Amino acid sequence: NPHVLHLGCGTSRWCELLENELPGCSVTHLDASTEATKVLRARLPESASIITADATLGLPFARGTFDAVVDKGAIDVFFATGQHQAAATVMAEVARVLKKAKNFGAGESSGGGPSGGPSGGESSHGESSQGGVYYMVSGESPELRVPSFQSAAKASGTRWKVTSQDASLPDPQYQTFLFTGTLER
């Protein structure tokens, strides 16, 4: 079964979404805040995997543990506040805990990579030269976020192919983008 890391989960409703909408997946929710993980333990089923750990100090998982990492704003905080070393450290840790490439993602088809998935159906997730998948949700535009992502990746010694798409809801109060980082090994 695919294993997904929900990085910097906080107490958002994304926790329930990932638990309920990824059938057959094992989801691990991780946050540095003991208060956030305490709230989640009270709210999610007892079987949910919830871990308190600071990603800037290293992720408590073996190399290649996860098929995907989902991040709704965790690394965005480091980008927005100019904490470049923290962002680079987290990028290196994400790269370390991701498995080698698999055809994994929304709308997976038998013909290879996701069809209509996060990169608009032009995914290269199944190419053997690439590694795991990092999904980051941000309110910042690609013009701001992609250079930040690439700078952190370079500083961490990792290489990523980054794509983005507008993921805003109809009549959005805020514009939202989904960034997909495919690790190149």
Side-chain angles (χ1 to χ4, degrees), residues 36-97:
T37 55
K38 181 180 175 183
V39 168
L40 282 183
R41 282 189 182 94
R43 204 172 77 207
L44 293 179
E46 192 174 309
S47 62
S49 175
I50 303 166
I51 296 175
T52 304
D54 184 342
T56 65
L57 301 176
L59 292 170
F61 309 106
R63 177 177 308 280
T65 299
F66 297 96
D67 297 286
V69 174
V70 175
D71 169 0
K72 184 184 169 284
I75 204 165
D76 231 16
V77 171
F78 301 130
F79 291 151
T81 58
Q83 297 180 59
H84 304 292
Q85 185 55 50
T89 299
V90 173
M91 292 295 297
E93 282 297 291
V94 167
R96 184 183 66 77
V97 301

Side-chain angles (χ1 to χ4, degrees), residues 100-101 124-132 161 182-185:
K100 291 193 177 192
S124 57
H125 301 244
E127 293 179 15
S128 60
S129 64
Q130 296 184 335
K161 176 183 177 189
T182 306
L183 184 62
E184 298 175 335
R185 297 186 192 245

Side-chain angles (χ1 to χ4, degrees), residues 4-19:
V4 177
L5 173 62
H6 183 195
L7 180 67
C9 61
T11 60
S12 81
R13 294 294 174 192
W14 275 66
C15 299
E16 285 90 353
L17 177 73
L18 292 172
E19 288 286 327

Side-chain angles (χ1 to χ4, degrees), residues 14 117-119 135-138 163-167 176-180:
W14 275 66
S119 58
Y135 298 105
M136 181 181 75
V137 177
S138 175
T163 60
S164 64
Q165 77 176 43
D166 189 330
T176 304
F177 295 92
L178 174 65
F179 297 87
T180 303

